[in-house]
Amino acid sequence: MYRYDEFDKAFVAARVAEFSDQVKRRLAGELTEDEFRPLRLRNGVYLQLHAYMLRVAIPYGTLSSRQMRKLAHIARCYDRGYGHFTTRQNIQFNWPRLVDIPEILSELADVEMHAIQTSGNCIRNITSDHFAGVAADEITDPRPYAEILRQWSSLHPEFSYLPRKFKFAIIGAQTDRAAIQLHDIGLRLNRNAVGELGFSFYIGGGQGRTPMVAKLLHEFIPVENLLHYATAIVRIYNLYGRRDNKYKARIKILVHETGFGQLREDIDVEFAALKRSERYDLTLLQADIEAINAYFCTPDLENHPNGRDTLVSLRLKDQAFDCWVDKNVTRHKHPDYAIVTISLKAIGGIPGNATAAQMDIVADLAERYSYNELRVSYHQNLVLPYVALQDLYAVYNVLVASSLASANIGQISDIIACPGLDYCSLANARSISIAQQISTRFSRPGYQEKIGEIQLNISGCINACGHHHAGHIGILGVEKKGTELYQLTLGGSAGNRCSIGEITGHGFAADEIVDAVETIIHTYLSLRIDHGEPFIDAYRRIGMMPFRQALYGTADKTAAE
Amino acid sequence: MSVKRCKTGKKEEGLKVLTANRLIDGRPVWYSTDGNWSRDINNAAVVDNQQAWSCLEQVGRKAMANNEIVDAVLIGIIEHEGKLYASRLREHIRAYGPTGSCT
């Protein structure tokens, strides 16, 4: 894992001191709320419905046991005993007092964490594949490059006041597990014909009120030019992105309004100028890349050749364990190891929430069984990246005792959901209660397994923090005539075949939406070719019409609206 | 610094209370009949006419200027069996907390 150098330590300490002083001045009345608001947002502090909310960055979703224990400590001492892992691999605390936040930030700095750039019109936390460095299908670990981008973008003087927020995601595997085409810039590491490493650059993706799938801007930019090209894109966006209307200020709108070809020309001109610049040398030197790579080396994994036999035998003996392995364990690049996904989607629970006690237990598990390392996925689950096959049963039993053993990864109850109207000041409708009802509805034994692989996402407003556009089934909560109404979309997908869901028709009341979801599921079950055809494949084959017919009694789009 | 009026989509009328978030911890508070800011919506001073709304708006502006509270807003309210309920769900959740358990 990356460790702060002297520069990192100094800049985080300086920011903690600066913000502590700003809080003090605000509480003393020396700063007005209008003056203070942009300062607190730069430090990840929002004012939500019930309290301030602090959003802490977990760079590219990687953290250590020590860091997780600190998050548990903060949840326990400064909050109400829990935290919420988000779709940007961050954690949010929902109840801190403003007066305590400087102390919280100081505690976070002790474990090399901060909340800088988790809000505001700047480059946000760089997200990545939660299986980075361990996935069997990986070309190379993307995290060293995510770290380089983090260093480049942190307090970048030119990019601290962009037209709007700006999000990067980066992967190094064949499978896109980071939704790169739903980001302002999506990066995929790959190799060219002669084996050199470089990046495919996608731009202009995003969700929110104008969802768009990012387009491929450049197939191959050599690694040494990563920062030249990233700078060129963000600079062109900073120059031409709209500032008159925040709903039209993201780069996706600039791509759309300028035209993809023209924008690419502008970026290429800037790219060429940056490469020529002697004053502003952004070339990534191999020695620098290697220095960062060294932080992300795979631990010296001991061989355990008997682990597979042990696992097979235990799976035969314990059916629940067998099911958990089937759903929550992924193949590792080392044959004697596995990647464990810990579901934060207990039936009837709040997606992404973990108690302080659970965080401590997961930290202990990582320390004992996963080389002190953890990941947070944008699906709002946790990951132990290095578990020996022979240790899986021990890990499972601890998870069972901690209510963390839901065997539902990739199932209908593995719901992505934002905090919604229960917490968020921007939301129009509740997400959590709908997620709880849906997971409960489909919880009877065998039902989820029968449905198979599916992604259901819920957002409580058009800002789409719950990624509803990218759900195979998406639910968007809106407010209509003073009541909650839920709009359904089908066919969204965040992976390699990225797509935006299509609206089924008119929305459903809060007490109708779970039935509507079940109608969709029944329709799918009756029309799929066999158990091997997942929901999204069936939808792509048969289209919207049968689902609309089942929901509204008509296949006609206009009539269903 | 102004006090907002919650949009109801209807003609401006009915019972209203003044609410805000406390500066020090962000907790929702309601301006109460004893002239203090209460954590309980049921202690809120309920008013029903333009003149009283204007008075409450002035109270809100002054409290914001004194850095006691932030984001003061007049919201619609319903009285039922001696208890106060916000007209909008958002405000109801502010008053009575998240609707589910925490985990």
Side-chain angles (χ1 to χ4, degrees):
Chain A
M1 277 185 59
Y2 182 71
R3 299 300 312 265
Y4 278 9
D5 62 14
E6 289 309 308
F7 177 82
D8 293 312
K9 282 181 189 162
F11 102 70
V12 172
R15 178 56 82 88
V16 171
E18 181 186 64
F19 189 58
S20 300
D21 185 55
Q22 288 161 346
V23 170
K24 206 168 146 189
R25 288 162 63 205
R26 174 69 187 113
L27 293 172
E30 293 167 21
L31 291 173
T32 66
E33 185 60 17
D34 285 346
E35 289 165 336
F36 182 64
R37 188 182 299 110
L39 303 177
R40 68 168 162 76
L41 289 173
R42 280 166 188 258
N43 291 282
V45 182
Y46 289 74
L47 181 56
Q48 298 284 54
L49 293 188
H50 310 291
Y52 292 97
M53 179 271 277
L54 177 65
R55 182 182 292 154
V56 178
I58 300 172
Y60 32 91
T62 298
L63 76 168
S64 66
S65 294
R66 182 166 170 250
Q67 290 173 321
M68 184 62 110
R69 284 200 189 96
K70 180 63 82 175
L71 297 177
H73 165 76
I74 288 166
R76 192 177 287 116
C77 297
Y78 300 97
D79 210 88
R80 294 196 172 176
Y82 64 96
H84 176 75
F85 291 96
T86 76
T87 51
R88 285 205 60 71
Q89 299 178 309
N90 295 315
I91 185 168
Q92 294 180 177
F93 294 106
N94 287 312
W95 304 93
R97 303 186 318 153
L98 179 61
V99 68
D100 290 335
I101 288 175
E103 205 173 321
I104 298 173
L105 294 177
S106 177
E107 293 225 28
L108 287 168
D110 288 345
V111 294
E112 304 180 358
M113 296 183 88
H114 62 68
I116 300 166
Q117 292 183 203
T118 59
S119 175
N121 294 338
C122 55
I123 297 172
R124 302 286 189 90
N125 185 32
I126 314 287
T127 56
S128 188
D129 184 352
H130 46 279
F131 293 166
V134 291
D137 66 339
E138 191 165 86
I139 297 158
T140 191
D141 188 342
R143 290 174 303 158
Y145 302 97
E147 174 55 31
I148 288 166
L149 287 167
R150 184 195 70 79
Q151 295 186 13
W152 162 78
S153 62
S154 293
L155 309 187
H156 193 303
E158 188 179 339
F159 303 141
S160 60
Y161 185 64
L162 294 169
R164 198 76 177 87
K165 59 189 166 185
F166 202 93
K167 298 174 180 177
F168 277 76
I170 175 169
I171 59 169
Q174 288 159 9
T175 306
D176 176 6
R177 285 176 285 263
I180 61 167
Q181 284 184 268
L182 294 170
H183 285 75
D184 296 289
I185 292 182
L187 296 167
R188 180 194 292 276
L189 274 153
N190 54 34
R191 291 192 187 278
N192 64 11
V194 292
E196 294 163 333
L197 207 55
F199 293 94
S200 297
F201 267 77
Y202 293 81
I203 65 160
Q207 300 190 62
R209 67 186 59 226
T210 317
M212 289 186 187
V213 174
K215 293 182 172 136
L216 181 62
L217 184 67
H218 209 298
E219 183 71 44
F220 190 85
I221 295 289
V223 160
E224 65 182 42
N225 298 130
L226 168 66
L227 298 183
H228 292 119
Y229 207 60
T231 300
I233 295 169
V234 186
R235 182 172 283 180
I236 291 297
Y237 167 60
N238 202 18
L239 277 172
Y240 299 121
R242 288 179 63 168
R243 292 176 189 268
D244 62 325
N245 181 343
K246 74 173 187 176
Y247 302 120
K248 295 187 175 179
R250 297 288 290 268
I251 195 172
K252 61 191 171 187
I253 305 295
L254 182 66
V255 172
H256 181 71
E257 290 187 350
T258 309
F260 188 69
Q262 177 61 54
L263 200 70
R264 177 152 55 190
E265 271 181 40
D266 294 343
I267 290 166
D268 283 347
V269 168
E270 190 62 37
F271 178 49
L274 279 165
K275 279 198 291 185
R276 282 195 307 271
S277 172
E278 289 175 7
R279 172 174 161 260
Y280 198 50
D281 189 5
L282 289 166
T283 307
L284 276 183
L285 302 175
Q286 196 53 38
D288 292 337
I289 296 171
E290 280 167 14
I292 299 289
N293 269 338
Y295 288 108
F296 296 94
C297 284
T298 303
D300 193 11
L301 301 174
E302 285 177 42
N303 292 328
H304 299 290
N306 297 328
R308 188 159 300 278
D309 292 343
T310 310
L311 177 63
V312 169
S313 150
L314 288 165
R315 290 184 73 168
L316 287 169
K317 281 183 196 161
D318 186 334
Q319 200 182 345
F321 173 62
D322 179 56
C323 179
W324 178 80
V325 172
D326 188 46
K327 300 294 183 301
N328 295 37
V329 175
T330 308
R331 194 161 71 89
H332 199 280
K333 66 181 182 183
H334 189 296
D336 301 341
Y337 284 76
I339 308 166
V340 169
T341 302
I342 300 170
S343 171
L344 296 181
K345 316 291 176 63
I347 298 301
I350 297 179
N353 274 23
T355 64
Q358 288 174 325
M359 288 186 231
D360 275 337
I361 285 160
V362 173
D364 290 347
L365 284 173
E367 186 173 270
R368 185 158 179 200
Y369 298 107
S370 187
Y371 292 81
N372 265 317
E373 198 174 313
L374 284 155
R375 309 288 174 78
V376 180
S377 73
Y378 89 85
H379 302 85
Q380 303 174 284
N381 293 312
L382 301 175
V383 173
L384 297 171
Y386 302 103
V387 181
L389 295 177
Q390 66 177 18
D391 294 331
L392 280 173
Y393 199 54
V395 169
Y396 169 74
N397 283 320
V398 173
L399 293 175
V400 169
S402 319
S403 305
L404 286 168
S406 299
N408 61 354
I409 300 304
Q411 307 280 289
I412 195 164
S413 62
D414 184 11
I415 297 168
I416 292 177
C418 68
L421 191 55
D422 278 305
Y423 293 92
C424 179
S425 60
L426 298 174
N428 304 119
R430 284 171 293 174
S431 310
I432 291 170
S433 59
I434 302 300
Q436 290 171 317
Q437 289 173 58
I438 291 171
S439 70
T440 303
R441 173 71 68 93
F442 291 95
S443 65
R444 68 173 186 264
Y447 200 5
Q448 292 198 74
E449 289 75 8
K450 183 178 170 188
I451 296 163
E453 189 186 321
I454 191 165
Q455 184 64 54
L456 191 149
N457 298 351
I458 310 174
S459 302
C461 79
I462 195 66
N463 292 305
C465 295
H467 291 200
H468 66 278
H469 295 299
H472 301 164
I473 298 176
I475 299 175
L476 165 64
V478 298
E479 183 182 357
K480 195 169 182 184
K481 295 179 182 167
T483 57
E484 294 163 301
L485 193 77
Y486 294 90
Q487 203 173 66
L488 271 169
T489 53
L490 300 179
S493 178
N496 290 44
R497 284 185 66 188
C498 186
S499 54
I500 303 297
E502 185 187 351
I503 296 171
T504 57
H506 68 69
F508 297 87
D511 59 1
E512 297 170 337
I513 185 64
V514 184
D515 288 337
V517 169
E518 196 161 27
T519 298
I520 290 166
I521 294 301
H522 285 163
T523 307
Y524 154 66
L525 292 174
S526 68
L527 294 173
R528 70 182 176 186
I529 293 169
D530 56 31
H531 188 266
E533 186 182 40
F535 178 89
I536 189 66
D537 291 355
Y539 177 82
R540 284 172 177 153
R541 178 175 57 81
I542 61 183
M544 176 65 85
M545 279 176 58
F547 295 100
R548 192 171 277 146
Q549 180 73 44
L551 286 168
Y552 305 103
T554 174
D556 181 68
K557 187 181 175 186
T558 313
E561 283 171 352
Chain B
M1 204 159 26
S2 62
V3 177
K4 291 176 195 160
R5 288 190 186 184
C6 211
K7 288 175 191 164
T8 58
K10 296 174 187 170
K11 193 180 162 190
E12 285 285 318
E13 59 184 19
L15 306 177
K16 289 189 191 299
V17 297
L18 180 65
T19 184
N21 288 78
R22 208 158 53 189
L23 172 65
I24 194 166
D25 58 8
R27 301 290 188 267
V29 286
W30 290 265
Y31 185 68
S32 67
T33 45
D34 64 4
N36 292 314
W37 291 92
S38 171
R39 287 279 292 116
D40 185 350
I41 191 173
N42 287 294
N43 295 331
V46 182
V47 296
D48 65 354
N49 62 73
Q50 182 67 53
Q51 196 182 356
W53 297 341
S54 299
C55 286
L56 281 189
E57 283 170 344
Q58 208 172 344
V59 167
R61 275 194 296 273
K62 198 173 163 193
M64 284 195 284
N66 288 341
N67 298 303
E68 294 168 57
I69 53 143
V70 293
D71 292 353
V73 59
L74 275 179
I75 61 162
I77 208 91
I78 297 160
E79 238 174 330
H80 181 64
E81 295 179 349
K83 284 191 83 175
L84 296 180
Y85 298 94
S87 311
R88 288 184 68 200
L89 178 61
R90 179 188 197 277
E91 292 302 325
H92 181 80
I93 290 172
R94 275 185 79 243
Y96 291 98
T99 56
S101 64
C102 297
T103 51

